Amino acid sequence: RGSFSNSPTVKSLGDEYIASGGRLIVIDLETCSGIDSTFMGTLAGLARRLMPIDGAVQIASPSERCLCALESLGLDALLSIEPPTAPWRGKVEQIRANLGTETAPTVHLDARDQTLHVLDSHLTLSELSEENEEKFRNVTDCLKDELKRQKDQ
């Protein structure tokens, strides 16, 4: 499941990849049972960083549930979902087999950094449309209040 808890790891891996010159991030959602708004905001943030340098985030094999979630926030306009001319098309099974079983080190954030990460993800989504801004206004306001309380402690 793509969620607020594993999205810091995805962001960290994406940031490292972009910093090393990478321009294409492919997110394979074949076994993903669902994605939350923080995870989607993380993907949107990576895509927005890649766009000015002619890069992209591509989505492979999304379930109907994940596809609906992405489309509901307008991310189908920002992310390339199942692009027909992607270099990995027709090679997905081979690529998956070559990936191996190693896992990336999990990024653990303290309470303040986690709140900042969730807020940043939701602000990114909010900037995509007025509808998203309205949808996430309460979330972003609560997160800003939480950061203020954390700062005052």
Side-chain angles (χ1 to χ4, degrees), residues 12-23 49-50 53:
S12 176
L13 290 170
D15 288 347
E16 289 174 23
Y17 179 70
I18 293 167
S20 74
R23 297 295 175 260
R49 285 193 50 212
L50 285 165
I53 54 175

Side-chain angles (χ1 to χ4, degrees), residues 63-81:
S63 66
E64 190 63 33
R65 182 177 183 174
C66 290
L67 181 60
C68 287
L70 292 167
E71 290 174 341
S72 75
L73 297 180
L75 293 179
D76 50 326
L78 187 61
L79 308 173
S80 298
I81 301 174

Side-chain angles (χ1 to χ4, degrees), residues 3-4 6-12 15 36-48 57 75 79 117-118 120-122 124-125:
S3 71
F4 72 94
N6 57 23
S7 60
T9 300
V10 171
K11 182 182 183 310
S12 176
D15 288 347
D36 70 14
S37 55
T38 301
F39 189 84
M40 289 188 282
T42 299
L43 297 182
L46 291 170
R48 288 177 74 183
V57 173
L75 293 179
L79 308 173
H117 171 71
V118 174
D120 183 57
S121 294
H122 285 84
T124 298
L125 293 172

Side-chain angles (χ1 to χ4, degrees), residues 108-119:
H108 297 284
L109 302 177
D110 63 24
R112 180 169 174 72
D113 286 341
Q114 181 68 29
T115 303
L116 281 168
H117 171 71
V118 174
L119 175 60

